[in-house]
Amino acid sequence: MSNDTHYVYLNGQKVHDVHESHEHVSPQWLYGGVFAALLVLTGVTYLVSFADLGVLSLPVAMAVAVVKASLVAAFFMHLLFEDRFYSFIFVTSFALIGLFFGIILFDMASTAEVVEEHQIGAPRENEVRKKLDEAPAMGAERTHPSTIDKLRNELGYGNPASNGFISGEEKHDEGEAAHGGH
Amino acid sequence: MSSTHSHSERPAWVAHHFDTPGQQVSSAKLGMWLFLSTEMLMFSGLFLAYFIIRQLHPEMVLVASNELNKVLGGVNTIVLITSSYTAAMAVRSAQTGEQKALQRYLLVTIACAFIFMGVKYVEYSAKISHGLLPWNFYEVHHGYEHMPDLAPMFFGIYFAMTGLHGVHVLVGIGVLTWIYFRARRGEFSSENYVAVENAALYWHIVDLVWIFLFPLLYLVK
């Protein structure tokens, strides 16, 4: 280059040679090894699902999946040998996904109180659906909203549209709600 | 800017607004990684919907997911992992300037993608013919009376997730085919191969999403 203070940069670093690049070529055996590991881990994924792990079934299966994904990202996508900024971007998306999942699942944990307060939710829906089973097969009517509403009223549950849940008429006083509103 | 550069120093494939080839490569890869991050965010919405459905209706998800073919799902997993391997080897071939190997690895990757879609076609046909569909397309066929009432919910998330993933596979076939024809024309060299690398990065994300999809949809315990 010339005598003026003109610098050329690459990824935030000064480079002195125009053709300077930071390539890294992984050896063939490395790709082959990661491929073999991924196949083995797929087998492990099956094993985990057939084993009797109970509550741990899902976390362990996800852990195996994370290991497989990390191998693909680090070696096949070459992140281990690349500028760390690409890893930063990729990991950030997972951090944001974690935030997304965390906030929503945390909010769902408090859903139980609201469900109790307004007499909606899965346990009651199961009773409604048991009643549906006793009724003759109705085809598409079976899961039609009006059929469900009718059954909910028969069981004395009311429905979200009429028990103040949607219109918000009911007072949300925790003391009163603990005794049930209906 | 760089008026001191002589033309012999600057490869023809470097755009005028970059000082060096390295800057162009770096810029291209940065763009692809940013896009891939948005892809993960997009799929995460469906994954969260899945986790919520599984949380609220664990028994239903267990029974409904049992209708999915674990063998075919596993075959597709192996097909995609293999295609990820061949895509990485294609990039490596481009890096070392091995043109024939580059083309062959790209072809195998594309072939794997077609096999994947073929298996998915078989699976979808079976679900459709057995009435295992989302929303009110769901039908109770003979032999499926044991299915829980909310099974349409599971099949909704199944078709949405594998459908969106399948669309990504189709787009991947298009992109990889385009890159294959460019490789045949001799457009790539050991200096100029970032297009191959970017196409492969996209393809690895397709594999990555499936690595999570498979145990969650097919292997519920």
Side-chain angles (χ1 to χ4, degrees):
Chain A
M1 250 162 292
S2 69
N3 328 351
D4 64 0
T5 49
H6 171 83
Y7 293 110
V8 176
Y9 291 87
L10 177 62
N11 290 348
Q13 309 275 327
K14 292 202 187 81
V15 290
H16 301 288
D17 176 6
V18 164
H19 288 280
E20 183 173 332
S21 66
H22 309 278
E23 272 176 42
H24 172 277
V25 184
S26 292
Q28 291 198 23
W29 57 258
L30 184 62
Y31 287 122
V34 171
F35 178 45
L38 286 170
L39 292 177
V40 167
L41 285 171
T42 303
V44 172
T45 311
Y46 269 111
L47 283 177
V48 166
S49 79
F50 292 138
D52 238 329
L53 294 175
V55 189
L56 285 181
S57 219
L58 182 61
V60 172
M62 285 296 97
V64 174
V66 166
V67 172
K68 287 168 82 173
S70 306
L71 284 175
V72 171
F75 295 101
F76 283 174
M77 299 176 90
H78 226 233
L79 278 179
L80 205 62
F81 311 103
E82 296 268 15
D83 192 298
R84 286 196 314 217
F85 191 56
Y86 306 134
S87 301
F88 168 69
I89 291 173
F90 199 49
V91 165
T92 298
S93 74
F94 285 101
L96 290 170
I97 291 171
L99 193 67
F100 176 35
F101 279 34
I103 291 180
I104 291 192
L105 293 171
F106 174 76
D107 179 61
M108 277 180 65
S110 64
T111 304
E113 292 172 32
V114 181
V115 161
E116 216 29 69
E117 192 179 325
H118 294 279
Q119 304 279 301
I120 55 178
R124 284 159 195 86
E125 297 306 319
N126 286 339
E127 272 206 56
V128 170
R129 296 196 185 279
K130 250 195 282 182
K131 276 221 115 182
L132 268 179
D133 288 338
E134 292 155 23
M138 295 182 265
E141 272 179 53
R142 195 161 194 247
T143 44
H144 196 278
S146 62
T147 317
I148 311 280
D149 282 351
K150 236 188 339 174
L151 283 170
R152 288 178 56 89
N153 284 321
E154 273 176 33
L155 286 166
Y157 287 141
N159 60 67
S162 67
N163 67 5
F165 179 65
I166 290 174
S167 56
E169 290 161 2
E170 268 190 337
K171 289 207 192 76
H172 294 280
D173 182 13
E174 290 211 45
E176 283 178 26
H179 300 296
H182 305 277
Chain B
M1 232 192 350
S2 333
S3 52
T4 51
H5 277 263
S6 67
H7 280 291
S8 58
E9 263 188 56
R10 190 185 180 83
W13 50 269
V14 178
H16 75 282
H17 52 284
F18 293 113
D19 290 333
T20 74
Q23 285 181 355
Q24 176 165 300
V25 166
S26 183
S27 185
K29 285 218 286 236
L30 179 62
M32 181 48 87
W33 276 109
L34 285 169
F35 169 63
L36 295 180
S37 298
T38 70
E39 290 282 87
M40 301 310 290
L41 291 171
M42 170 168 66
F43 275 102
S44 76
L46 286 174
F47 275 102
L48 180 61
Y50 165 86
F51 280 120
I52 290 177
I53 291 173
R54 182 167 173 163
Q55 163 107 330
L56 292 177
H57 307 284
E59 295 297 325
M60 179 278 284
V61 169
L62 185 60
V63 173
S65 70
N66 221 29
E67 297 305 318
L68 298 182
N69 191 324
K70 298 190 209 291
V71 173
L72 288 183
V75 164
N76 263 354
T77 305
I78 301 208
V79 165
L80 276 188
I81 289 178
T82 305
S83 73
S84 220
Y85 166 70
T86 56
M89 289 304 287
V91 176
R92 190 188 175 281
S93 304
Q95 281 181 313
T96 56
E98 297 166 73
Q99 300 295 336
K100 276 287 166 229
L102 165 62
Q103 291 170 38
R104 273 191 238 113
Y105 277 122
L106 282 174
L107 276 181
V108 176
T109 310
I110 295 166
C112 287
F114 272 111
I115 295 174
F116 180 90
M117 291 316 296
V119 172
K120 271 253 87 51
Y121 172 79
V122 168
E123 287 184 275
Y124 275 21
S125 307
K127 297 289 156 290
I128 293 168
S129 69
H130 294 149
L132 302 172
L133 292 165
W135 198 30
N136 59 11
F137 299 118
Y138 186 86
E139 291 165 357
V140 184
H141 284 204
H142 178 65
Y144 289 90
E145 294 87 355
H146 65 282
M147 296 294 284
D149 283 324
L150 292 178
M153 219 183 205
F154 174 80
F155 291 104
I157 199 70
Y158 166 76
F159 276 105
M161 293 181 90
T162 58
L164 184 63
H165 179 262
V167 166
H168 278 76
V169 173
L170 290 173
V171 170
I173 289 176
V175 170
L176 288 166
T177 307
W178 172 53
I179 295 296
Y180 168 73
F181 282 115
R182 287 182 65 185
R184 275 188 65 144
R185 282 187 243 128
E187 282 188 36
F188 304 124
S189 68
S190 52
E191 279 88 36
N192 180 23
Y193 65 89
V194 71
V196 181
E197 198 169 359
N198 277 353
L201 282 176
Y202 171 80
W203 190 251
H204 290 306
I205 289 294
V206 170
D207 181 33
L208 235 157
V209 170
W210 184 261
I211 283 175
F212 285 100
L213 266 188
F214 173 59
L216 288 177
L217 288 175
Y218 289 81
L219 302 177
V220 179
K221 190 74 200 283

